[in-house]
Amino acid sequence: TSNRQHHTTIGLETIGHPLYKSHSKPIDDVEINFRIDVQSDYMKQVLKQDAAAVVAAERWYKSDDQAVAYGFSFMTIEAIAELEVDLNDQAQLLEMLERNVYDLATSISYEVKHSASVNSFSQKYDIAGSDECVLLLESVYSKQAHPIVYNKFYIPKDFSVITINATK
């Protein structure tokens, strides 16, 4: 008999949207807001390239009409054009950030940190239970040497379930 445990929870070891794998509440709505920014030194560092401009998108993840997590994403305007995302269609941008980038991804790099608060550029919602958050930093790569998107997910500590199923 094998002592290996069978894991029913898919963790961060597989490519896919990490928030849905790391949050204990069911997410039933996602609201998006974005702006176009000039590239800062920080954005250049995390996107590992120069860009004419970047799209900075924020997302609020809701459960029963309550904001329970926050996501912040950077994509170069060149990546937006290459992926043929129409910025006049917020639903298309949301679909790209929530699903399509993970279909295109060949690898993902994660860094897990802690944050005392949610750093939102609009402060549109108070995030439930966000006195202390797990901050999940994610770089999503396709075939390029630079990420197609860089994400920051703020998951309140009370709702955070970080799972990695390592195998040999």
Side-chain angles (χ1 to χ4, degrees):
T1 51
S2 170
N3 287 339
R4 177 178 279 179
Q5 293 182 349
H6 293 282
H7 298 282
T8 56
T9 303
I10 296 173
L12 297 180
E13 71 281 357
T14 60
I15 289 177
H17 198 303
L19 186 95
Y20 299 99
K21 298 189 276 184
S22 304
H23 203 290
S24 63
K25 287 205 171 273
I27 305 300
D28 53 32
D29 187 31
V30 181
E31 192 175 315
I32 188 170
N33 184 32
F34 77 94
R35 67 179 189 229
I36 299 174
D37 268 346
V38 295
Q39 186 179 40
S40 68
D41 288 342
Y42 173 73
M43 291 176 199
K44 184 177 178 176
Q45 178 187 344
V46 298
L47 291 171
K48 300 179 181 174
Q49 62 180 312
D50 284 317
V54 294
V55 172
E58 57 183 354
R59 289 170 279 167
W60 296 274
Y61 295 87
K62 296 180 180 178
S63 182
D64 293 325
D65 280 333
Q66 185 177 44
V68 295
Y70 173 76
F72 189 68
S73 303
F74 300 123
M75 287 182 85
T76 66
I77 201 73
E78 292 84 357
I80 292 286
E82 186 179 317
L83 297 170
E84 299 179 0
V85 177
D86 180 359
L87 292 178
N88 292 311
D89 183 352
Q90 283 196 343
Q92 194 181 102
L93 178 60
L94 183 63
E95 180 75 12
M96 176 56 65
L97 292 171
E98 289 290 298
R99 288 176 197 82
N100 298 354
V101 293
Y102 299 105
D103 293 340
L104 296 168
T106 55
S107 68
I108 294 179
S109 172
Y110 291 110
E111 192 175 342
V112 181
K113 294 186 172 195
H114 294 273
S115 177
S117 64
V118 172
N119 297 320
S120 156
F121 65 76
S122 71
Q123 299 295 327
K124 187 171 183 176
Y125 294 103
D126 286 328
I127 305 297
S130 67
D131 292 347
E132 215 177 300
C133 291
V134 169
L135 174 55
L136 192 56
L137 306 174
E138 177 190 51
S139 296
V140 180
Y141 296 87
S142 61
K143 293 171 180 59
Q144 297 90 350
H146 49 79
I148 50 176
V149 65
Y150 179 78
N151 294 310
K152 296 166 89 168
F153 294 106
Y154 293 84
I155 306 167
K157 184 182 69 168
D158 295 349
F159 305 140
S160 154
V161 183
I162 304 295
T163 305
I164 301 168
N165 298 303
T167 58
K168 192 169 190 178

